[in-house]
Amino acid sequence: MNKLFYDLETLGDDHRKHSIHQLSAIVEIDGVVLETIDLKFRPHPKSLFDDEAMRISKVTKNLVLGYPEMASQKKAFCDILGQYVDKYKKNDCFVLVGFRNTSFDDLFLRKLFELCGDNYFNSYFFSNSLDASVLATQYLGDRRLHMPSFKLSRVAIEMGLVVDKERLHEAMYDVELTRDIYRISVGEEIEL
């Protein structure tokens, strides 16, 4: 199975008003990591900037306005994906895997394609995504009821992973944690 583990950093929590500024991903095919992706995006000119979101992501308005243009980075992303899937073959797609992605990241990723005039989102990705937080809920069973939160870092710690709190909200680090959480949840071995 082709999986794209991914995480986005955004300028707010509403995909209709805010843009992404970072996309990180791990390309995994048949259980083998073939590539990592880390792209920075200049926001859409009409994007709003939420101070709290930028604080969490450790970015400033001036910094993200200096990032490469959105359409060129989206093209670079699709060029990488095209090395692994054929967008003209209906069943040759990635399954998106994230942490709470179905109600957040997936919406922003679709919006990126839309803003760049690309109608081929479903040519790269199956319509149903996997959410590692849902799988972790099943894996953690009764422990879930007693956890103070179900944030990425808390779930990772509960599963025995070492978490570098200084690196949280760096998209690539979050993707690595998400992939480990997914693999533990589905019974695949990982190195601790």
Side-chain angles (χ1 to χ4, degrees):
M1 178 188 314
N2 301 336
K3 294 186 199 89
L4 188 78
F5 293 89
Y6 85 112
D7 184 65
L8 303 176
E9 295 302 325
T10 66
L11 296 173
D13 61 6
D14 187 339
H15 70 281
R16 295 167 300 223
K17 297 178 184 177
H18 303 107
S19 285
I20 70 167
H21 63 82
Q22 184 179 14
L23 182 157
S24 293
I26 297 172
V27 174
E28 181 187 293
I29 298 181
D30 297 327
V32 178
V33 173
L34 298 178
E35 187 156 356
T36 59
I37 303 166
D38 189 26
L39 298 169
K40 307 274 174 91
F41 293 76
R42 182 180 319 140
H44 187 273
K46 293 183 180 179
S47 176
L48 299 179
F49 292 76
D50 179 81
D51 291 337
E52 180 64 10
M54 291 191 305
R55 184 192 66 74
I56 290 169
S57 295
K58 303 172 191 131
V59 296
T60 64
K61 186 174 182 178
N62 286 339
L63 179 67
V64 297
L65 289 175
Y67 288 163
E69 194 268 328
M70 178 183 282
S72 67
Q73 292 296 79
K74 197 283 250 156
K75 181 186 180 311
F77 178 58
C78 289
D79 287 348
I80 294 168
L81 299 179
Q83 295 174 41
Y84 303 101
V85 297
D86 183 345
K87 73 178 187 177
Y88 299 107
K89 290 185 179 176
K90 185 175 182 178
N91 291 320
D92 191 17
C93 295
F94 284 102
V95 173
L96 289 169
V97 185
F99 194 89
R100 294 191 175 156
N101 57 306
T102 57
S103 62
F104 189 83
D105 299 75
D106 290 4
L107 300 174
F108 276 91
L109 188 58
R110 281 183 179 278
K111 188 67 171 181
L112 172 66
F113 274 67
E114 179 185 315
L115 289 170
C116 294
D118 187 335
N119 297 323
Y120 290 98
F121 182 86
N122 288 107
S123 295
Y124 291 102
F125 310 108
F126 288 113
S127 60
N128 54 328
S129 298
L130 293 174
D131 184 340
S133 73
V134 173
L135 298 170
T137 299
Q138 174 86 17
Y139 177 84
L140 292 170
D142 292 339
R143 286 188 282 171
R144 169 64 178 106
L145 300 172
H146 306 289
M147 292 172 63
S149 75
F150 213 68
K151 293 180 179 181
L152 178 68
S153 60
R154 181 69 242 163
V155 171
I157 290 166
E158 192 70 27
M159 291 184 151
L161 298 170
V162 175
V163 174
D164 181 347
K165 293 183 182 191
E166 294 299 314
R167 293 191 60 209
L168 290 171
H169 299 291
E170 291 175 14
M172 184 53 74
Y173 184 68
D174 290 357
V175 169
E176 292 165 356
L177 286 176
T178 297
R179 183 170 180 266
D180 285 345
I181 288 168
Y182 169 86
R183 290 173 55 90
I184 291 169
S185 295
V186 299
E188 294 179 12
E189 289 189 30
I190 69 162
E191 284 187 35
L192 294 177

